[in-house]
């Protein structure tokens, strides 16, 4: 099928490359020249495992290309596209609601096509507030166009987005229109040979499912984080509590890892958006609200512990392992590490940072603090002479470090483990003062 995807970001690129891999003719419509050049040379503009391979294959086989919005090639591809995905960004506006200006720009561009467009399916892939499908449809109508507008929320996790695309747990099609259901089922069929996983529903329901899933997963994380705070005060071990909980199959074992708070482009934004959407309809979203509050408090875990240990952070040198909001990505959006670094600098401390992938991005994002942050290619070099080591992201490389080496190079033998990767059992053997999330320091 001929498909055009507006937006070559995380969502659009995986979507486009994935659909090109099953023989569709896919065009990515972008406004950023650098991104276009990168994509057309088979490179991803960000780190995502398996994506460069998929992109290069699509480009080499001429199934995939990126074009500039407004170019002749773009006009040609848009004219012949049967399915149009919108995967542009929806940034948070100052009041916390999603800003849809890029979505509407795309609608206006599509509306320039001749005809009434009733044979086209326009699919919303960006996470948008419930009712956006209706607003998009209305905007098309004001231009005298009436394409079929469907919702098809994405459930990709960064770090395993390609695998998630190729083996989806489900595909949700939000449209009661038969043609939309038929075309979308057709393009997703190759990814569900083992089991049918397409679920069709109304557009508004599909829009809300996405928020419900993300807010629920975020709820699990904030719940375990809140219990971990209590465990710390009570003198209980969150690792045992978790073990006791997850054996109950109704609870399950996923998204119950305590940590320094959730980050990324989805959970923080989506929980807040749900709160705003509830307000609009006078349905207070108390749980998402609490989830957000707990998460904000959880992000302070490392800072509060450092303050508790050192009392004064001025001129202290703190080593940080892990900058990205989770492993296997270079994304720093809402990363707890960024919050920690900014607070440490405010308190007069210096930072020695290591991350396997995200250093370049961190240098750009935190450029204004460059004199206070040193970046290291080697994780042990970052720990050299530091007053304490804080683990913020559970990258594989950090999971079993040489504690002997660390005990020799750190100025103070202090480890704050924001992801409970090490545990006091091993670190104590090397004489470390150790605190984990929900693991009290004086745990017997
Ligand atoms: C999430 C959803 O999982 C995905 O379905 C949706 O499409 C986009 O948002 P992503 O943001 O890539 O995906 O990351 P995810 O693996 O869900 O983790 C989000 C955050 O929660 C990370 O900061 C992670 O460290 C944290 N987390 C996750 C925990 O703190 N504890 C856990 O048990 C799980």
């Amino acid at each position: 099928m001929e498909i055009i995807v507006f937006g070559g970001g995380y969502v659009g690129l995986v979507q486009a490359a994935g659909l090109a891999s099953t023989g569709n003719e896919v065009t990515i419509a972008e406004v950023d020249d650098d991104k276009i050049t990168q994509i057309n040379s088979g490179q991803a503009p960000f780190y995502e495992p398996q994506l460069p391979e998929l992109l290069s294959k699509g480009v080499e086989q001429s199934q995939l290309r990126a074009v500039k919005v407004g170019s002749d090639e773009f006009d040609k591809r848009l004219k012949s596209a049967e399915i149009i995905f919108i995967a542009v960004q929806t940034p948070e506006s100052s009041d916390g609601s999603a800003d849809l200006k890029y979505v509407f720009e795309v609608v206006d561009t599509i509306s320039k096509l001749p005809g009434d467009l009733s044979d086209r399916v326009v699919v919303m892939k960006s996470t948008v507030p419930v009712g956006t499908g209706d607003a998009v449809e209305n905007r098309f109508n004001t231009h005298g166009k009436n394409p079929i507008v469907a919702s098809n929320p994405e459930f990709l996790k960064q770090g395993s987005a390609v695998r998630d695309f190729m083996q989806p747990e489900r595909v949700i099609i939000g449209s009661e229109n038969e043609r939309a259901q038929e075309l979308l089922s057709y393009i997703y069929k190759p990814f569900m040979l083992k089991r049918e996983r397409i679920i069709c529903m109304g557009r508004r329901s599909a829009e809300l499912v996405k928020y419900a899933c993300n807010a629920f997963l975020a709820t699990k994380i904030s719940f375990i984080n809140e219990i971990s705070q209590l465990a710390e005060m009570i003198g209980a071990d969150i690792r045992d509590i978790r073990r006791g909980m997850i054996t109950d199959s109704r609870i399950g074992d996923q998204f119950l890892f305590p940590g320094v708070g959730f980050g990324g482009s989805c959970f923080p934004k989506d929980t807040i958006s749900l709160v705003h959407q509830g307000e609009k309809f006078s349905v207070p979203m108390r749980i998402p609200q609490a989830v957000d509050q707990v998460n904000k408090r959880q992000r302070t875990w490392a800072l509060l512990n450092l303050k508790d240990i050192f009392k004064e952070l001025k001129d202290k040198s703190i080593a940080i392992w892990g900058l990205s909001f989770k492993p296997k990505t270079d994304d720093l959006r809402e990363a707890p590490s960024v919050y920690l670094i900014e607070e440490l600098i405010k308190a007069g401390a210096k930072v020695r940072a290591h991350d396997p992938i995200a250093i370049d991005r961190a240098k750009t994002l935190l450029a204004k603090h460059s004199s206070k942050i040193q970046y290291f290619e080697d994780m042990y070099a970052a720990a050299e002479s530091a007053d304490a080591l804080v683990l913020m992201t559970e990258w594989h490389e950090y999971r079993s470090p040489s504690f002997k080496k660390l005990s020799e190079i750190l100025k103070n033998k202090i480890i704050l483990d924001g992801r409970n990767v090490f545990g006091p059992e091993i670190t104590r053997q090397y004489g470390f003062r150790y605190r984990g999330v929900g693991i009290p320091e004086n745990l017997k």
Side-chain angles (χ1 to χ4, degrees):
M1 295 203 63
E2 295 201 35
I3 296 169
I4 192 157
V5 179
F6 279 86
Y10 283 98
V11 176
L13 215 47
V14 178
Q15 176 80 7
L19 290 176
S21 76
T22 50
N24 296 296
E25 272 289 332
V26 187
T27 301
I28 298 164
E30 248 301 332
V31 287
D32 181 332
D33 289 316
D34 292 342
K35 255 192 200 169
I36 294 171
T37 313
Q38 268 183 308
I39 296 168
N40 285 332
S41 57
Q43 288 164 20
F46 47 81
Y47 177 82
E48 181 62 45
Q50 294 180 48
L51 186 58
E53 293 83 336
L54 201 63
L55 280 176
S56 339
K57 211 166 150 202
V59 172
E60 267 164 37
Q61 296 176 343
S62 304
Q63 299 289 142
L64 179 70
R65 70 211 56 82
V67 301
K68 177 114 179 178
V69 173
S71 65
D72 291 348
E73 182 67 10
F74 165 80
D75 288 343
K76 192 182 110 197
R77 297 281 175 183
L78 181 60
K79 213 176 259 172
S80 56
E82 296 153 278
I83 304 182
I84 302 168
F85 284 99
I86 304 182
V88 293
Q89 45 168 323
T90 53
E92 208 174 301
S93 45
S94 50
D95 66 351
S97 61
D99 184 347
L100 299 175
K101 69 171 180 239
Y102 299 116
V103 170
F104 290 131
E105 265 174 29
V106 171
V107 171
D108 295 346
T109 304
I110 300 171
S111 297
K112 289 184 189 135
L113 284 171
D116 68 357
L117 307 183
S118 57
D119 56 341
R120 312 292 178 110
V121 181
V122 175
V123 189
M124 189 56 74
K125 204 72 205 164
S126 310
T127 300
V128 286
V130 181
T132 300
D134 300 354
V136 163
E137 198 168 83
N138 290 340
R139 183 124 174 166
F140 272 120
N141 294 162
T142 58
H143 294 298
K145 311 285 172 180
N146 55 350
I148 305 158
V149 178
S151 160
N152 172 218
E154 58 87 16
F155 296 100
L156 309 174
K157 297 183 287 300
Q158 286 174 238
S160 60
V162 171
R163 198 187 56 208
D164 292 346
F165 185 87
M166 297 295 181
Q167 296 160 23
E169 290 194 312
R170 77 301 209 186
V171 166
I172 291 185
I173 299 175
S175 173
E176 264 133 22
N177 180 286
E178 260 179 44
R179 182 170 157 78
Q181 291 184 1
E182 202 181 293
L183 290 189
L184 289 169
S185 301
Y186 178 75
I187 59 167
Y188 285 120
K189 197 161 181 276
F191 307 105
M192 36 201 75
L193 291 183
K194 281 197 200 131
R195 185 156 56 94
E196 177 68 40
R197 294 191 186 90
I198 292 182
I199 306 172
C200 294
M201 60 183 72
R203 196 167 58 202
R204 284 180 168 236
S205 306
E207 288 170 339
L208 189 51
V209 169
K210 168 71 197 227
Y211 284 100
C213 288
N214 277 354
F216 187 75
L217 293 170
T219 302
K220 290 182 87 174
I221 301 170
S222 273
F223 181 83
I224 199 75
N225 281 339
E226 195 159 51
I227 297 288
S228 78
Q229 298 242 358
L230 190 59
E232 273 174 34
M233 299 314 288
I234 283 178
D237 186 339
I238 195 70
R239 295 171 301 170
D240 290 335
I241 297 161
R242 182 177 180 277
R243 279 197 293 151
M245 285 175 73
I246 63 175
T247 41
D248 187 327
S249 59
R250 292 167 303 177
I251 294 173
D253 61 0
Q254 301 228 36
F255 282 70
L256 283 174
F257 287 102
V260 280
F262 56 75
S265 62
C266 290
F267 286 180
K269 192 169 117 192
D270 292 353
T271 37
I272 284 294
S273 173
L274 206 47
V275 172
H276 285 285
Q277 291 180 61
E279 270 166 18
K280 229 170 111 186
F281 293 95
S282 303
V283 182
M285 292 282 107
R286 296 194 180 93
I287 293 175
Q289 179 97 59
V291 167
D292 175 61
Q293 285 164 355
V294 171
N295 196 53
K296 288 196 173 113
R297 184 178 67 177
Q298 199 66 19
R299 277 199 315 208
T300 64
W301 180 87
L303 182 75
L304 293 185
N305 275 287
L306 287 169
K307 281 188 174 162
D308 182 50
I309 291 171
F310 292 111
K311 310 303 174 224
E312 174 58 75
L313 288 174
K314 193 161 182 314
D315 297 328
K316 290 282 177 290
S317 157
I318 308 297
I320 296 182
W321 278 1
L323 299 173
S324 55
F325 82 96
K326 69 173 200 177
K328 292 195 192 161
T329 176
D330 57 357
D331 200 339
L332 294 164
R333 282 176 288 180
E334 297 284 332
S337 65
V338 173
Y339 168 81
L340 174 64
I341 290 173
E342 288 187 325
E343 289 300 316
L344 284 173
I345 289 171
K346 253 189 239 164
K350 295 206 172 73
V351 171
R352 303 171 65 82
H354 176 268
D355 188 282
I357 300 289
I359 284 186
D360 285 345
R361 286 204 169 202
K363 280 185 182 164
T364 311
L365 184 72
L366 296 163
K368 63 174 187 284
H369 302 304
S370 59
S371 61
K372 303 280 168 39
I373 312 173
Q374 270 184 286
Y375 297 93
F376 296 87
E377 300 254 312
D378 179 272
M379 60 195 236
Y380 293 103
E384 193 105 38
S385 312
D387 286 288
L389 170 65
V390 186
L391 181 120
M392 292 296 282
T393 317
E394 70 278 28
W395 284 94
H396 270 280
E397 359 325 57
Y398 303 143
R399 295 198 185 177
S400 51
S402 164
F403 288 108
K404 184 170 175 295
K405 196 166 174 180
L406 279 177
S407 68
E408 288 160 6
I409 58 177
L410 277 164
K411 185 165 157 202
N412 303 312
K413 291 200 207 176
I414 298 174
I415 295 181
L416 295 184
D417 180 355
R419 300 287 179 176
N420 292 357
V421 171
F422 309 135
E425 299 76 14
I426 175 101
T427 46
R428 270 188 205 156
Q429 285 175 28
Y430 291 87
F432 282 97
R433 200 171 164 189
Y434 173 90
R435 290 186 188 183
V437 179
I439 309 175
E441 193 180 334
N442 55 1
L443 190 70
K444 296 280 174 307

